[in-house]
PDB file of all heavy atoms in Angstrom:
ATOM      1  N   GLN A  15       2.301   9.783 -11.739  1.00 81.00           N
ATOM      2  CA  GLN A  15       1.641  10.620 -10.744  1.00 81.00           C
ATOM      3  C   GLN A  15       0.150  10.770 -11.045  1.00 81.00           C
ATOM      4  O   GLN A  15      -0.252  11.277 -12.069  1.00 81.00           O
ATOM      5  CB  GLN A  15       2.287  12.002 -10.700  1.00 81.00           C
ATOM      6  CG  GLN A  15       1.703  12.871  -9.615  1.00 81.00           C
ATOM      7  CD  GLN A  15       2.379  14.225  -9.534  1.00 81.00           C
ATOM      8  OE1 GLN A  15       3.116  14.617 -10.419  1.00 81.00           O
ATOM      9  NE2 GLN A  15       2.128  14.932  -8.454  1.00 81.00           N
ATOM     10  N   LEU A  16      -0.658  10.271 -10.122  1.00 80.00           N
ATOM     11  CA  LEU A  16      -2.107  10.381 -10.229  1.00 80.00           C
ATOM     12  C   LEU A  16      -2.670  11.314  -9.158  1.00 80.00           C
ATOM     13  O   LEU A  16      -3.724  11.905  -9.340  1.00 80.00           O
ATOM     14  CB  LEU A  16      -2.763   9.002 -10.083  1.00 80.00           C
ATOM     15  CG  LEU A  16      -2.352   7.954 -11.119  1.00 80.00           C
ATOM     16  CD1 LEU A  16      -2.982   6.615 -10.775  1.00 80.00           C
ATOM     17  CD2 LEU A  16      -2.748   8.402 -12.505  1.00 80.00           C
ATOM     18  N   ILE A  17      -1.974  11.424  -8.041  1.00 76.00           N
ATOM     19  CA  ILE A  17      -2.416  12.259  -6.936  1.00 76.00           C
ATOM     20  C   ILE A  17      -1.574  13.530  -6.929  1.00 76.00           C
ATOM     21  O   ILE A  17      -0.354  13.475  -6.848  1.00 76.00           O
ATOM     22  CB  ILE A  17      -2.265  11.511  -5.596  1.00 76.00           C
ATOM     23  CG1 ILE A  17      -3.077  10.229  -5.612  1.00 76.00           C
ATOM     24  CG2 ILE A  17      -2.668  12.403  -4.431  1.00 76.00           C
ATOM     25  CD1 ILE A  17      -2.851   9.335  -4.427  1.00 76.00           C
ATOM     26  N   THR A  18      -2.218  14.662  -7.013  1.00 74.00           N
ATOM     27  CA  THR A  18      -1.496  15.934  -7.042  1.00 74.00           C
ATOM     28  C   THR A  18      -1.801  16.789  -5.824  1.00 74.00           C
ATOM     29  O   THR A  18      -1.585  17.986  -5.837  1.00 74.00           O
ATOM     30  CB  THR A  18      -1.846  16.722  -8.314  1.00 74.00           C
ATOM     31  OG1 THR A  18      -3.256  16.916  -8.353  1.00 74.00           O
ATOM     32  CG2 THR A  18      -1.381  16.016  -9.552  1.00 74.00           C
ATOM     33  N   ALA A  19      -2.315  16.193  -4.773  1.00 73.00           N
ATOM     34  CA  ALA A  19      -2.648  16.941  -3.561  1.00 73.00           C
ATOM     35  C   ALA A  19      -1.374  17.404  -2.868  1.00 73.00           C
ATOM     36  O   ALA A  19      -0.331  16.785  -2.974  1.00 73.00           O
ATOM     37  CB  ALA A  19      -3.466  16.070  -2.623  1.00 73.00           C
ATOM     38  N   SER A  20      -1.485  18.493  -2.149  1.00 69.00           N
ATOM     39  CA  SER A  20      -0.312  18.970  -1.435  1.00 69.00           C
ATOM     40  C   SER A  20      -0.445  18.571   0.025  1.00 69.00           C
ATOM     41  O   SER A  20      -1.557  18.386   0.509  1.00 69.00           O
ATOM     42  CB  SER A  20      -0.177  20.467  -1.632  1.00 69.00           C
ATOM     43  OG  SER A  20      -0.813  21.204  -0.644  1.00 69.00           O
ATOM     44  N   PRO A  21       0.552  18.345   0.793  1.00 70.00           N
ATOM     45  CA  PRO A  21       1.958  18.490   0.422  1.00 70.00           C
ATOM     46  C   PRO A  21       2.420  17.309  -0.422  1.00 70.00           C
ATOM     47  O   PRO A  21       1.919  16.198  -0.273  1.00 70.00           O
ATOM     48  CB  PRO A  21       2.687  18.525   1.760  1.00 70.00           C
ATOM     49  CG  PRO A  21       1.840  17.733   2.669  1.00 70.00           C
ATOM     50  CD  PRO A  21       0.413  17.966   2.199  1.00 70.00           C
ATOM     51  N   GLY A  22       3.369  17.546  -1.275  1.00 63.00           N
ATOM     52  CA  GLY A  22       3.875  16.513  -2.171  1.00 63.00           C
ATOM     53  C   GLY A  22       4.870  15.601  -1.482  1.00 63.00           C
ATOM     54  O   GLY A  22       5.181  15.754  -0.303  1.00 63.00           O
ATOM     55  N   THR A  23       5.393  14.659  -2.241  1.00 66.00           N
ATOM     56  CA  THR A  23       6.348  13.703  -1.698  1.00 66.00           C
ATOM     57  C   THR A  23       7.785  14.067  -2.024  1.00 66.00           C
ATOM     58  O   THR A  23       8.690  13.305  -1.699  1.00 66.00           O
ATOM     59  CB  THR A  23       6.062  12.300  -2.254  1.00 66.00           C
ATOM     60  OG1 THR A  23       6.122  12.351  -3.672  1.00 66.00           O
ATOM     61  CG2 THR A  23       4.720  11.788  -1.795  1.00 66.00           C
ATOM     62  N   THR A  24       8.012  15.207  -2.643  1.00 71.00           N
ATOM     63  CA  THR A  24       9.379  15.593  -2.996  1.00 71.00           C
ATOM     64  C   THR A  24      10.229  15.834  -1.760  1.00 71.00           C
ATOM     65  O   THR A  24      11.442  15.675  -1.805  1.00 71.00           O
ATOM     66  CB  THR A  24       9.388  16.846  -3.882  1.00 71.00           C
ATOM     67  OG1 THR A  24       8.674  17.886  -3.226  1.00 71.00           O
ATOM     68  CG2 THR A  24       8.764  16.565  -5.227  1.00 71.00           C
ATOM     69  N   MET A  25       9.624  16.196  -0.655  1.00 73.00           N
ATOM     70  CA  MET A  25      10.386  16.426   0.569  1.00 73.00           C
ATOM     71  C   MET A  25      11.029  15.132   1.074  1.00 73.00           C
ATOM     72  O   MET A  25      12.097  15.164   1.688  1.00 73.00           O
ATOM     73  CB  MET A  25       9.473  17.010   1.636  1.00 73.00           C
ATOM     74  CG  MET A  25      10.150  17.382   2.901  1.00 73.00           C
ATOM     75  SD  MET A  25       8.915  17.904   4.071  1.00 73.00           S
ATOM     76  CE  MET A  25       9.758  19.219   4.873  1.00 73.00           C
ATOM     77  N   MET A  26      10.415  13.991   0.819  1.00 69.00           N
ATOM     78  CA  MET A  26      10.941  12.712   1.287  1.00 69.00           C
ATOM     79  C   MET A  26      12.197  12.280   0.531  1.00 69.00           C
ATOM     80  O   MET A  26      12.865  11.332   0.937  1.00 69.00           O
ATOM     81  CB  MET A  26       9.888  11.618   1.175  1.00 69.00           C
ATOM     82  CG  MET A  26       8.799  11.722   2.207  1.00 69.00           C
ATOM     83  SD  MET A  26       9.400  11.612   3.886  1.00 69.00           S
ATOM     84  CE  MET A  26       9.836   9.899   3.990  1.00 69.00           C
TER      85      MET A  26
END
Side-chain angles (χ1 to χ4, degrees):
Q15 184 178 13
L16 300 175
I17 301 172
T18 57
S20 92
T23 57
T24 55
M25 184 185 218
M26 287 300 288

